[in-house]
Amino acid sequence: VIQAWYMDDSNEDQRLPHHREPKEFVSLDKLAELGVLSWRLDADNYETDEGLKKIREARGYSYMDFCDICPEKLPNYEEKIKSFFEEHLHTDEEIRYCVAGSGYFDVRDAKDGWIRVWVKKGGMIVLPAGIYHRFTLDTDNYIKAMRLFVGDPIWTPFNRPHDHLPARKEYLEAFVEKGD
Ligand code: KMT
Ligand code: NI
């Protein structure tokens, strides 16, 4: 339910997979080294799932809502789709649990290459505060995601560059500088 790979640098449709030739897959361990955590959960039973409950308790994810990304349900759909795909960071974790559909979360690696993380039904992903990233639907054009947050949510995106933010500096110290 979660697969990741290095992207090519073609300017074709953002909803296409953009594999390199030959394909270069990225392991979930490598994602974890960048601070990107992931789990496989039972999306058909998210209301009662003990696995989800444990993660929420352990990580303090008290807030929860759903984001249904299709033209009928998302106000200002075209505008939002565009802004999701602008490279940005947040000052808090971005936590998404795909309960239907699928989508691509692109994250920057330590050398500024794009890794495309394909999250499908049952996949939950945590992007750490301060990582540059973006989101797009894939060619199936639909995702329903649970959004989680520690306390009152702050969704503000800071488009790149925002390198002076403490969240950015802390991210680099924790996950990038040590690795090189
Ligand atoms: C975000 O912050 O990029 C989003 O909420 C994208 C939609 S969640 C699948
Ligand atoms: Ni974001």
Side-chain angles (χ1 to χ4, degrees), residues 84 86 88-90 94 96 127 133-135 155-157:
F84 290 155
E86 300 268 349
H88 64 273
L89 61 74
H90 307 280
E94 177 168 317
R96 299 289 184 272
L127 309 183
H133 67 278
R134 64 188 180 188
F135 172 82
W155 308 120
T156 316

Side-chain angles (χ1 to χ4, degrees), residues 3-4 8-9 20 28 37 41 43 53 62 71 78 83 89-90 111 124 126 136 144 152 157 170 173 175 178 180:
Q3 264 197 338
D8 65 16
D9 37 46
R20 288 187 182 170
L28 299 186
L37 308 178
L41 296 170
K53 190 162 172 252
S62 49
E78 290 298 339
S83 73
L89 61 74
H90 307 280
K111 292 180 176 155
M124 176 168 170
V126 174
T136 180
K144 180 176 179 178
D152 292 331
E170 286 158 20
E173 279 164 23
F175 295 108
K178 276 187 212 152
D180 282 323

Side-chain angles (χ1 to χ4, degrees), residues 128-178:
I131 194 172
Y132 282 119
H133 67 278
R134 64 188 180 188
F135 172 82
T136 180
L137 291 169
D138 60 29
T139 52
D140 283 350
N141 257 313
Y142 179 67
I143 192 168
K144 180 176 179 178
M146 183 187 290
R147 302 192 299 181
L148 297 139
F149 206 88
V150 179
D152 292 331
I154 303 165
W155 308 120
T156 316
F158 294 93
N159 285 351
R160 190 168 183 176
H162 256 95
D163 299 331
H164 60 286
L165 288 179
R168 180 62 186 165
K169 291 185 180 156
E170 286 158 20
Y171 173 73
L172 291 175
E173 279 164 23
F175 295 108
V176 177
E177 282 157 9
K178 276 187 212 152

Side-chain angles (χ1 to χ4, degrees), residues 101-126:
S102 52
Y104 295 127
F105 292 84
D106 297 339
V107 299
R108 289 286 190 183
D109 81 348
K111 292 180 176 155
D112 225 24
W114 279 120
I115 297 174
R116 175 149 276 192
V117 186
W118 196 16
V119 181
K120 297 197 254 188
K121 181 178 174 180
M124 176 168 170
I125 188 172
V126 174

